[in-house]
């Protein structure tokens, strides 16, 4: 009877995905991000801000519905990331940025903290939802990372949807590529793309069984070349989950790889006994800028504490605390207001 009531309640949540009563939820936590970058509030129109808020809110509700229903952290982060990959607002899936050849080239990874299985894909061009493929690599192959054509052959074999590359073309990303190319010209007087690190997506969840999972998906950096791959598909750099801590990162990928950022944060929690917030802040506000990098992370520990830490002007993020309260934030001021 209780189960039926819970199921009906969760169904009503997903149907009216607005702001469900906090009291009926709880016992799990979810945090998602839509990228960190140099954008400031004044750089975006109200319509643009509203569109991002709406889509990150839909992604949060998709993950929330899974967890509320007793589903796993793995299913919840998948559900949230698919919504963001399908939205043109984020630099992942549909809204992925263009590389120097004018092609969308995507990377993604996922990790299950329960047993530290992991799956990742890099440099795919036709996979509608790279996060689904990363999960299939984890669950249906003996490997951790597949790249390029081989990854797409595996996708086909697994019945994962492939689309024509034109599906990923959005005008704003195309214009960003043109600006990046113009800025490369000698003597060019073009304002560099302010949103250049903006829009990668990620999710971390703790389910009611106490399991943590984390995932990240991206189109990488505008105008990237030579098959460049960033941190997002690299376990320990862009994504990490163990039984105490899960992290998803966004930012200047080369630094996140060199510093093993997501693993470093969870290692501090595990071996040095640091709180998740202290570990994240030390890595993001000290180690990362000292090395010359920028970006941010979202994370959850096994007590369900949700953490966000970034050294950029913004990080789009949304979360459900363990007490069931729902939040969406985009800029630093909102962090202080939490
Ligand atoms: N970290 C991603 C990369 O370097 C980009 C981003 O997070 O915005 O590919």
């Amino acid at each position: 009877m209780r189960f039926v009531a819970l199921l009906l309640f969760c169904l009503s949540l997903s149907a009216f995905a607005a702001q469900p009563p906090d009291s009926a939820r709880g016992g799990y936590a979810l945090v998602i991000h839509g990228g960190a970058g140099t954008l400031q509030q004044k750089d975006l129109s109200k319509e643009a801000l509203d569109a991002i808020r709406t889509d990150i809110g839909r992604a949060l509700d998709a993950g929330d519905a899974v967890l509320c229903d007793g589903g796993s952290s793995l299913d919840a982060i998948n559900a949230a990331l698919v919504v963001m990959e399908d939205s043109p607002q984020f630099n992942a899936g549909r809204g992925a940025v263009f590389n120097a050849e004018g092609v969308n080239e995507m990377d993604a990874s996922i990790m299950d903290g329960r047993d530290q299985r992991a799956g990742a894909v890099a440099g795919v061009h036709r996979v509608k939802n790279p996060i689904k493929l990363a999960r299939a690599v984890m669950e249906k192959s003996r490997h951790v990372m597949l790249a390029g054509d081989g990854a797409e052959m595996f996708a086909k074999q697994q019945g994962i949807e492939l689309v024509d590359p034109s599906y990923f073309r959005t005008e704003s990303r195309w214009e960003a590529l043109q600006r990046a190319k113009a800025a490369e010209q000698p003597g060019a007087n073009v304002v560099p793309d302010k949103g250049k690190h903006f829009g990668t997506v990620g999710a971390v969840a703790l389910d009611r069984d106490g399991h943590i999972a984390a995932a990240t998906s991206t189109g990488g950096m505008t105008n990237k070349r030579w098959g460049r791959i960033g941190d997002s598909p690299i376990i320990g750099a862009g994504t990490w989950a163990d039984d105490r801590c899960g992290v998803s990162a966004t930012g200047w990928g080369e630094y996140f790889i060199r510093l093993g950022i997501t693993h470093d944060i969870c290692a501090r929690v595990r071996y040095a006994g640091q709180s998740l917030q202290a570990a994240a802040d030390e890595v993001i506000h000290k180690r990362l800028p000292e090395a010359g990098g920028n970006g941010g992370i979202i994370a959850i520990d096994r007590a369900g504490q949700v953490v966000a830490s970034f050294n950029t002007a913004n990080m789009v993020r949304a979360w459900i605390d363990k007490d069931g309260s729902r939040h969406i934030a985009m800029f630093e001021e909102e962090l202080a207001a939490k």
Side-chain angles (χ1 to χ4, degrees):
M1 190 57 206
R2 196 168 166 265
F3 174 74
V4 174
L6 185 68
L7 188 67
L8 287 176
F9 176 75
C10 292
L11 286 176
S12 72
L13 275 193
S14 34
F16 307 101
Q19 297 236 358
D22 293 344
S23 57
R25 291 194 301 211
Y28 59 83
L30 171 67
V31 58
I32 63 179
H33 72 76
T38 51
L39 278 178
Q40 293 178 8
Q41 201 149 0
K42 60 178 171 45
D43 298 324
L44 287 167
S45 67
K46 184 176 176 314
E47 293 71 42
L49 285 169
D50 286 349
I52 296 170
R53 264 180 201 281
T54 301
D55 282 4
I56 198 160
R58 286 195 306 112
L60 188 71
D61 294 333
D64 186 19
V66 172
L67 292 164
C68 178
D69 202 12
S72 70
S73 48
L74 209 54
D75 286 342
I77 58 175
N78 250 270
L81 253 53
V82 165
V83 172
M84 289 200 276
E85 285 182 339
D86 288 346
S87 159
Q89 301 300 332
F90 305 103
N91 172 18
R94 172 96 175 86
V97 298
F98 286 93
N99 70 9
E101 285 76 46
V103 175
N104 309 94
E105 200 165 66
M106 294 158 286
D107 309 325
S109 65
I110 189 161
M111 190 165 191
D112 188 350
R114 197 165 29 165
D115 46 17
Q116 291 187 246
R117 286 180 313 156
V121 292
V124 294
H125 302 135
R126 295 189 303 141
V127 180
K128 184 170 183 242
N129 293 109
I131 198 61
K132 290 188 183 172
L133 184 56
R135 184 168 180 180
V137 171
M138 175 173 86
E139 292 180 335
K140 309 268 174 57
S141 86
R142 292 192 297 146
H143 308 296
V144 169
M145 185 188 278
L146 300 180
D149 293 346
E152 291 185 356
M153 271 164 62
F154 177 70
K156 217 166 161 181
Q157 210 181 72
Q158 293 297 322
I160 286 176
E161 188 173 356
L162 298 177
V163 290
D164 187 87
S166 61
Y167 166 81
F168 301 105
R169 185 189 164 108
T170 57
E171 284 322 299
S172 63
R173 300 299 190 191
W174 184 252
E175 284 160 19
L177 175 64
Q178 306 318 312
R179 282 197 299 277
K181 287 199 175 290
E184 274 180 345
Q185 298 306 314
N189 186 18
V190 175
V191 183
D193 188 9
K194 285 182 176 154
K196 67 180 176 213
H197 302 319
F198 183 75
T200 290
V201 302
V204 186
L206 169 78
D207 60 31
R208 284 204 177 109
D209 293 326
H211 299 308
I212 297 174
T216 311
S217 179
T218 190
M221 286 175 143
T222 301
N223 205 24
K224 64 185 180 181
R225 62 185 80 205
W226 305 309
R228 179 264 185 193
I229 292 166
D231 60 312
S232 308
I234 297 183
I235 298 302
T239 301
W240 180 264
D242 58 37
D243 57 352
R244 301 172 192 221
C245 169
V247 186
S248 167
T250 173
W252 194 343
E254 278 69 11
Y255 290 91
F256 282 71
I257 297 172
R258 288 170 48 200
L259 301 178
I261 293 276
T262 57
H263 177 262
D264 186 18
I265 292 169
C266 290
R268 286 163 186 266
V269 171
R270 175 175 291 269
Y271 301 118
Q274 281 188 325
S275 73
L276 183 57
Q277 185 77 61
D281 286 345
E282 210 170 302
V283 171
I284 296 300
H285 290 289
K286 210 163 171 292
R287 270 197 93 205
L288 182 59
E290 272 171 16
N294 64 5
I297 61 92
I298 52 168
I300 289 181
D301 66 15
R302 66 175 163 187
Q305 204 211 333
V306 173
V307 161
S309 188
F310 52 100
N311 66 12
T312 46
N314 72 53
M315 184 162 75
V316 178
R317 60 210 186 277
W319 67 102
I320 308 269
D321 279 321
K322 214 175 171 187
D323 65 5
S325 55
R326 184 181 187 274
H327 312 258
I328 296 182
M330 294 176 75
F331 300 94
E332 181 115 44
E333 315 82 74
E334 294 159 310
L335 194 63
K338 188 195 151 184

